[in-house]
């Protein structure tokens, strides 16, 4: 019986796993220079963390959650995103007490949404994000947006556009909602079923509709910017000018509402510019300000701002830009023993070389030297270290450069030192070759 992967899931291995590791470590670096600590929360949470009373209008919570009853009869949900769980954790662990605010956390891990799988859209995907909780000024919103932008620069993804909007304060949103209701009342009969539901629960959500015919109608809808209070406008403008000061140009997009209901105030998204031959995978990341979320999950009245990147989408663009860098990943040395006794002895030789920091792979079975050398090449090893009976007797080994095919005989006693200089020479040669390639 063949068991298939669950629809919308994917496995990450070999070269892709290196790419994911690399992306994550760069993102962690950028979060760390902003003094963020890591937070890890469970994948499963009580469903009512996400469905907080009536009035919830987001597709993510309404239609896309993996919710089930556990053996104890509790309603459990696989997290569709991490922010709510982090708020729950801040409350459960009273992390806000005696802490200098804002709390600054970064996180990473899988999320689950029952969406229609397509390019850049999975049912299980990874997010990396940052949350600042206990924020008191536009400076923190601007810092988070800048953090995300720097993260993309550190990944070498320079063709990025940042879109920003403000959902305003409560009064602005109330006025805007009414204006939208009035406008859409004339069109709602012709719009999709989702929009009809959104019209009843939260007309702001209609702006996020992807149906082409509906977008035509949305184009002429009232703009949030005309309904923002003076305070909300000033806040947004402060964020925009702070970012400008550090060279980050943002584009105001009046229809940007984000996919979750808890956002208030400033919201933003990062998009890669269209790259020839690449699918448009949607936003690489996004986030915004949330004034009430911590309170809604039982915590104090502290505001927060956060962002999340989808690692799959970053990896898709990153692979296109840097993928070739990962083509030659392999061991420094492939250690070849030509009979069983030597293979057994190589066990401790490999151990010694690994303790010096070399990446070592080796053969576990007797095979011909030709086939083992072929294997070493297949594994992308830089060198093969060949030890046969004759070498063993003389206390020497043959080290073969698998790129230049040159071979040197090395005293076993000096091995670690010689390998060190061989690797340095090899890297210098690689740099030269790369330079010639560019020319
Ligand atoms: P959100 O939590 O909806 O604000 O999404 C934040 C980021 O997560 C998006 O910008 C995407 O990069 C990523 N993302 C959201 N949903 C998916 C999905 N179904 N598959 C892959 N990535 C996703």
């Amino acid at each position: 019986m063949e068991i298939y992967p669950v629809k919308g899931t994917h496995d990450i291995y070999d070269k892709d796993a290196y790419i994911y590791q690399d992306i994550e470590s760069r993102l962690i670096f950028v979060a760390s220079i902003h003094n963020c600590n890591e937070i890890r929360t469970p994948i499963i949470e009580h469903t009512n963390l996400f469905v907080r009373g009536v009035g919830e209008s987001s597709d993510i919570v309404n239609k896309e959650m993996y919710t089930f009853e556990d053996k104890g009869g509790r309603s459990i949900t696989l997290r569709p995103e991490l922010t709510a769980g982090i708020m729950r954790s801040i409350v459960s662990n009273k992390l806000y007490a005696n802490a200098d605010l804002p709390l600054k956390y970064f996180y990473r891990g899988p999320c689950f949404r029952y969406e229609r799988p397509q390019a850049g859209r999975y049912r299980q995907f990874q997010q990396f994000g940052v949350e600042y909780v206990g924020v008191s000024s536009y400076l923190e919103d601007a810092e988070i947006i800048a953090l995300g932008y720097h993260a993309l620069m550190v990944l070498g993804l320079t063709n990025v556009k940042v879109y920003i909007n403000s959902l305003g304060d409560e009064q602005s949103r109330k006025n805007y909602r009414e204006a939208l209701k009035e406008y859409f009342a004339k069109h709602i009969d012709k719009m999709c079923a989702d929009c009809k539901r959104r019209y009843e629960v939260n007309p702001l959500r209609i702006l996020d509709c992807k149906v082409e015919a509906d977008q035509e109608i949305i184009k002429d809808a009232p703009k949030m910017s005309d309904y923002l209070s003076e305070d909300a406008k000033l806040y947004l403008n402060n964020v925009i000018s702070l970012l400008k000061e550090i060279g980050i140009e943002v584009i105001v997009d009046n229809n940007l509402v984000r996919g979750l209901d808890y956002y208030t105030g400033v919201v933003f998204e990062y998009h890669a510019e269209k790259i020839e031959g690449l699918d448009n995978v949607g936003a690489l990341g996004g986030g915004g300000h949330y004034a009430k979320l911590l309170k809604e999950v039982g915590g104090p009245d502290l505001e927060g701002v956060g962002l999340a990147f989808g690692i799959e989408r970053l990896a898709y663009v990153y692979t296109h830009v840097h993928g070739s860098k990962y083509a030659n990943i392999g061991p420094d040395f492939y250690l070849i023993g030509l009979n069983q006794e030597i293979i057994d002895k190589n066990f401790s030789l490999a151990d010694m070389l690994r303790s010096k920091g070399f990446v070592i792979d080796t053969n576990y079975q007797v095979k011909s030297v030709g086939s083992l050398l072929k294997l070493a090449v297949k594994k992308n090893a830089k060198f093969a270290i060949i030890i046969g009976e004759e070498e063993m007797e003389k206390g020497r080994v043959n080290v073969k450069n698998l790129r230049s095919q040159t071979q040197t005989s090395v005293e076993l006693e000096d091995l670690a030192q010689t390998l060190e200089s061989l690797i340095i020479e090899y890297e210098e040669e690689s740099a030269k070759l790369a330079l010639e390639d560019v020319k």
Side-chain angles (χ1 to χ4, degrees):
M1 179 179 65
E2 189 174 346
I3 300 177
Y4 298 99
V6 173
K7 188 173 175 188
T9 66
H10 64 127
D11 304 305
I12 303 154
Y13 49 88
D14 291 345
K15 180 178 148 207
D16 288 341
Y18 277 104
I19 289 175
Y20 273 62
Q21 270 179 29
D22 202 359
I23 290 175
E24 284 181 16
S25 64
R26 285 163 194 261
L27 294 174
I28 290 171
F29 163 75
V30 175
S32 305
I33 59 172
H34 290 78
N35 198 31
C36 299
N37 293 331
E38 185 170 11
I39 187 161
R40 297 188 189 209
T41 61
I43 285 170
I44 49 173
E45 296 277 359
H46 290 291
T47 302
N48 61 7
L49 172 67
F50 305 107
V51 189
R52 293 179 299 276
V54 287
E56 175 62 54
S57 66
S58 68
D59 283 355
I60 296 172
V61 172
N62 272 315
K63 302 200 296 196
E64 297 171 359
M65 294 209 305
Y66 280 87
T67 296
F68 60 95
E69 203 168 274
D70 74 3
K71 291 189 168 44
R74 304 167 195 92
S75 180
I76 299 291
T77 292
L78 302 183
R79 62 185 183 199
E81 54 104 31
L82 277 83
T83 307
I86 292 169
M87 296 309 117
R88 198 266 316 130
S89 172
I90 289 174
V91 176
S92 306
N93 299 292
K94 294 201 173 51
L95 299 179
Y96 50 82
N98 306 319
D100 287 328
L101 298 176
L103 299 165
K104 293 181 170 187
Y105 286 113
F106 74 84
Y107 63 80
R108 62 199 147 139
C111 302
F112 304 83
R113 294 182 192 173
Y114 196 81
E115 295 194 79
R116 198 166 59 79
Q118 51 189 292
R121 201 167 285 287
Y122 296 92
R123 290 184 173 168
Q124 176 174 341
F125 59 96
Q126 315 272 328
Q127 279 191 346
F128 175 94
V130 174
E131 307 292 345
Y132 285 10
V133 177
V135 305
S136 55
S137 115
Y138 47 82
L139 286 159
E140 289 137 301
D141 296 58
E143 187 171 302
I144 286 243
I145 298 172
L147 187 160
Y149 184 81
H150 294 320
L152 294 166
M153 294 308 111
V154 166
L155 291 174
L157 307 182
T158 45
N159 280 346
V160 168
K161 288 215 158 100
V162 188
Y163 294 91
I164 197 168
N165 192 21
S166 173
L167 303 177
D169 46 32
E170 245 174 297
Q171 192 55 46
S172 321
R173 269 196 308 283
K174 198 161 166 263
N175 296 343
Y176 186 46
R177 255 174 121 109
E178 277 161 21
L180 285 178
K181 274 217 126 165
E182 201 182 315
Y183 171 78
F184 284 118
K186 299 184 280 263
H187 304 281
I188 199 68
D189 288 349
K190 305 187 281 287
M191 298 182 83
C192 73
D194 278 337
C195 281
K196 290 196 174 84
R197 186 177 50 81
R198 292 168 181 143
Y199 179 80
E200 294 305 328
V201 195
N202 181 3
L204 235 88
R205 284 254 143 263
I206 297 179
L207 303 181
D208 211 19
C209 180
K210 301 285 179 282
V211 176
E212 236 169 74
D214 291 353
Q215 277 177 3
E216 276 303 301
I217 299 170
I218 292 167
K219 224 173 51 203
D220 299 323
K223 301 284 172 251
M224 182 75 216
S225 49
D226 296 328
Y227 294 82
L228 286 183
S229 67
E230 286 309 309
D231 281 354
K233 263 190 218 159
L234 186 65
Y235 198 102
L236 177 65
N237 287 334
N238 283 336
V239 172
I240 294 174
S241 41
L242 279 170
L243 291 169
K244 197 168 182 176
E245 248 175 63
I246 57 169
I248 304 174
E249 293 288 343
V250 295
I251 303 158
V252 176
D253 174 359
N254 276 301
N255 286 341
L256 182 62
V257 287
R258 310 282 303 126
L260 289 146
D261 272 353
Y262 51 66
Y263 289 117
T264 56
V266 169
V267 288
F268 52 91
E269 271 180 7
Y270 305 90
H271 288 256
E273 273 178 47
K274 176 93 189 91
I275 300 176
E276 198 55 39
L278 277 200
D279 288 328
N280 176 11
V281 286
L284 298 177
H289 194 102
Y290 43 88
K292 300 277 170 235
L293 185 56
L294 193 71
K295 190 151 188 254
E296 272 179 36
V297 305
D301 201 358
L302 294 175
E303 304 197 8
V305 56
L307 72 81
F309 283 114
I311 307 277
E312 278 74 5
R313 294 189 189 176
L314 290 180
Y316 182 68
V317 185
Y318 186 87
T319 305
H320 178 79
V321 180
H322 304 293
S324 56
K325 249 187 11 197
Y326 298 83
N328 295 325
I329 287 174
D332 295 326
F333 299 98
Y334 188 69
L335 187 54
I336 295 177
L338 292 179
N339 67 33
Q340 192 60 49
E341 194 191 338
I342 299 170
I343 292 173
D344 289 352
K345 281 205 171 130
N346 279 351
F347 184 77
S348 57
L349 182 59
D351 192 61
M352 183 277 283
L353 293 173
R354 287 178 187 131
S355 76
K356 306 277 181 203
F358 297 117
V359 182
I360 304 291
D361 203 351
T362 185
N363 66 315
Y364 306 99
Q365 283 173 356
V366 181
K367 285 189 184 152
S368 74
V369 67
S371 63
L372 288 168
L373 279 170
K374 265 194 203 141
L375 192 61
V377 171
K378 198 168 158 206
K379 283 175 181 277
N380 277 326
K382 297 182 178 76
F383 297 87
I385 303 175
I386 307 151
I387 315 181
E389 254 167 60
E390 204 186 317
E391 287 80 23
M392 204 55 167
E393 268 167 30
K394 293 188 189 149
R396 300 184 75 85
V397 304
N398 286 323
V399 183
K400 183 166 188 174
N401 181 324
L402 295 172
R403 185 166 56 201
S404 64
Q405 296 291 312
T406 48
Q407 190 159 303
T408 359
S409 167
V410 179
E411 287 264 2
L412 203 46
E413 285 216 336
D414 303 333
L415 189 60
Q417 224 177 345
T418 313
L419 297 189
E420 178 93 55
S421 32
L422 283 174
I423 283 288
I424 293 172
E425 273 169 33
Y426 188 96
E427 299 300 357
E428 284 171 357
E429 180 73 20
S430 304
K432 255 192 236 155
L433 290 173
L435 212 66
E436 272 165 29
D437 246 13
V438 177
K439 280 183 201 157

